[in-house]
């Protein structure tokens, strides 16, 4: 059968592991080696990792066929040296946590424009992360920065969305989409999203009870994942890659609590559920071809 001439190549969702989820896995006393980490990452069905720049990590990524993402915590004085270091591993995307909570949008945008220009000179793809204790810690600041960027460049800014932060800052209740997905245009431009399960009181909640059952709070969160991916796909033109992190912070990082189930097992479980939701939404997009 002849294919519809309007059909386009389907966008791609790639799941990546934030390396910090693997801290103290399986235990602090018997933590996995770098090689063991990669074996478990591959076995878990992931397509990529996010980690600081490191030659050994890069070599493992290449051997296991995984994409490498990285990130920086930057301000007006530190971004060049940090981006230079990141360039040594040539990641597919760079996540940027910019400035501080008390940095005004009008000052933040000046730093971002310089940082982005320098990153482009290096051939790096940077995404401004929505994160607490940075210049993007509230929706109001995020959208003001977006407006200032549009005024300065005539273009829209590319964010990495981590809604767990502003969900807590704004103390919201489910359903989450009406409040959090206010700017479909900025969502659809994104190429990174951090899917950390949250509610309006906690920026990380367990996916499971440790016995294979989903927590009630997690079920509310999955509806938000569905809403986000449906929104993102509405803006897809075909062939784009969205990197998604089923993110769980460890106990040592403060996000996990000692009463939580194993965060690595929850990350693997969340990855599978995100993939199911992605495939269901992709089937509804009749303009895309498979592959």
């Amino acid at each position: 059968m002849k294919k519809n001439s309007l059909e386009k190549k389907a966008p791609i969702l790639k799941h990546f592991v934030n390396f910090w989820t693997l801290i103290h896995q399986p235990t602090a006393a018997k933590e996995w080696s770098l090689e063991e980490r990669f074996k478990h990452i591959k076995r878990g069905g992931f397509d990529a990792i996010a980690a600081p720049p490191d030659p050994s990590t890069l070599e493992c990524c290449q051997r296991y066929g995984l994409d490498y993402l990285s990130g920086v915590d930057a301000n007006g004085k530190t971004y060049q040296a940090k981006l230079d270091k990141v360039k040594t591993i040539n990641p597919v995307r760079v996540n940027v946590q910019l400035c501080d909570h008390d940095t005004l949008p009008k000052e933040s945008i000046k730093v971002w424009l310089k940082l982005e220009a320098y990153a482009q000179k290096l051939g790096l793809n940077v995404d401004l992360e929505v994160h607490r204790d940075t210049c993007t810690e509230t929706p109001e600041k995020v959208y003001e920065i977006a407006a200032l960027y549009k005024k300065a460049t005539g273009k829209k800014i590319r964010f990495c969305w981590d809604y767990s932060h502003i969900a807590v800052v704004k103390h919201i209740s489910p359903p989450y989409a009406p409040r959090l997905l206010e700017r479909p245009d900025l969502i659809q431009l994104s190429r990174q999203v951090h899917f950390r399960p949250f509610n309006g009181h906690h920026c990380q909640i367990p996916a499971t009870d440790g016995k294979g059952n989903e927590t009630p709070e997690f079920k509310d969160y999955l509806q938000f994942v569905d809403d986000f991916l449906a929104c993102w796909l509405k803006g897809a033109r075909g062939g784009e890659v969205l990197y998604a992190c089923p993110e769980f912070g460890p106990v040592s990082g403060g996000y996990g609590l000692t009463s939580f189930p194993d965060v690595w097992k929850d990350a693997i479980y969340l990855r599978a559920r995100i993939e199911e939701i992605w495939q269901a939404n992709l089937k509804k997009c009749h303009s895309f071809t498979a592959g």
Side-chain angles (χ1 to χ4, degrees):
M1 182 181 294
K2 187 176 180 180
K3 291 184 178 180
N4 189 324
S5 60
L6 296 178
E7 288 184 340
K8 301 165 289 186
K9 184 178 179 181
I12 299 168
L13 183 70
K14 289 194 174 186
H15 305 272
F16 71 95
V17 177
N18 190 326
F19 247 35
W20 81 323
T21 301
L22 294 163
I23 291 174
H24 296 165
Q25 286 291 334
T27 67
K30 296 182 179 180
E31 196 168 26
W32 289 327
S33 67
L34 183 63
E35 186 71 23
E36 288 171 329
R37 285 186 179 191
F38 272 89
K39 288 180 179 179
H40 285 279
I41 289 168
K42 194 71 174 181
R43 193 177 301 153
F46 292 93
D47 308 293
I49 64 104
D54 177 78
S56 298
T57 305
L58 176 60
E59 191 273 331
C60 284
C61 271
Q62 293 170 339
R63 276 196 293 111
Y64 282 88
L66 300 173
D67 291 349
Y68 198 156
L69 294 82
S70 196
V72 298
D73 180 1
N75 57 41
K77 297 179 181 179
T78 65
Y79 69 85
Q80 289 192 354
K82 291 183 177 181
L83 289 177
D84 286 342
K85 187 173 182 180
V86 165
K87 178 60 181 176
T88 62
I89 52 101
N90 203 30
V92 291
R93 305 213 69 85
V94 181
N95 190 49
V96 181
Q97 296 180 5
L98 189 69
C99 297
D100 299 299
H101 72 95
D102 56 354
T103 310
L104 297 175
K106 64 180 181 180
E107 299 302 324
S108 303
I109 194 63
K110 293 177 184 177
V111 178
W112 180 252
L113 289 170
K114 293 177 181 178
L115 183 152
E116 186 181 55
Y118 190 71
Q120 289 174 348
K121 182 179 177 181
L122 295 177
L124 295 173
N125 296 309
V126 290
D127 304 300
L128 178 56
E129 185 178 7
V130 175
H131 201 286
R132 284 173 299 158
D133 197 30
T134 74
C135 66
T136 58
E137 73 171 1
T138 69
E140 292 80 9
K141 289 182 179 180
V142 169
Y143 301 144
E144 186 174 350
I145 288 170
L148 291 169
Y149 184 88
K150 181 71 178 296
K151 183 178 180 180
T153 67
K155 301 176 182 179
K156 293 179 180 179
I157 192 169
R158 201 184 297 276
F159 289 107
C160 168
W161 296 100
D162 187 337
Y163 287 100
S164 66
H165 298 284
I166 56 177
V168 171
V169 168
K170 289 302 181 181
H171 202 245
I172 64 172
S173 300
Y176 303 118
R179 184 69 184 277
L180 295 182
L181 305 185
E182 293 179 315
R183 290 291 303 272
D185 58 326
L186 297 176
I187 291 164
Q188 291 161 2
L189 188 65
S190 64
R191 295 296 178 264
Q192 275 197 75
V193 57
H194 291 185
F195 283 130
R196 177 188 292 108
F198 61 79
N199 64 20
H201 303 276
H202 308 281
C203 67
Q204 181 168 301
I205 59 171
T208 72
D209 61 4
K211 300 176 182 178
N213 304 304
E214 294 182 353
T215 64
E217 298 82 7
F218 180 64
K219 292 178 181 179
D220 290 333
Y221 175 72
L222 286 180
Q223 181 58 57
F224 174 73
V225 173
D226 193 354
D227 293 334
F228 177 91
L229 290 176
C231 176
W232 189 88
L233 280 167
K234 285 181 181 178
R237 297 182 178 181
E240 300 97 330
V241 177
L242 175 63
Y243 286 92
C245 180
E247 187 162 18
F248 283 92
V251 172
S252 62
Y255 282 85
L257 301 178
T258 54
S259 58
F260 279 16
D262 188 302
V263 293
W264 173 236
K265 291 179 180 178
D266 261 11
I268 293 173
Y269 184 82
L270 176 55
R271 188 215 70 83
R273 295 293 278 120
I274 293 169
E275 181 63 23
E276 290 173 6
I277 294 169
W278 169 261
Q279 291 299 334
N281 277 285
L282 197 57
K283 286 180 180 178
K284 299 175 185 177
C285 302
H286 302 297
S287 61
F288 296 126
T289 60

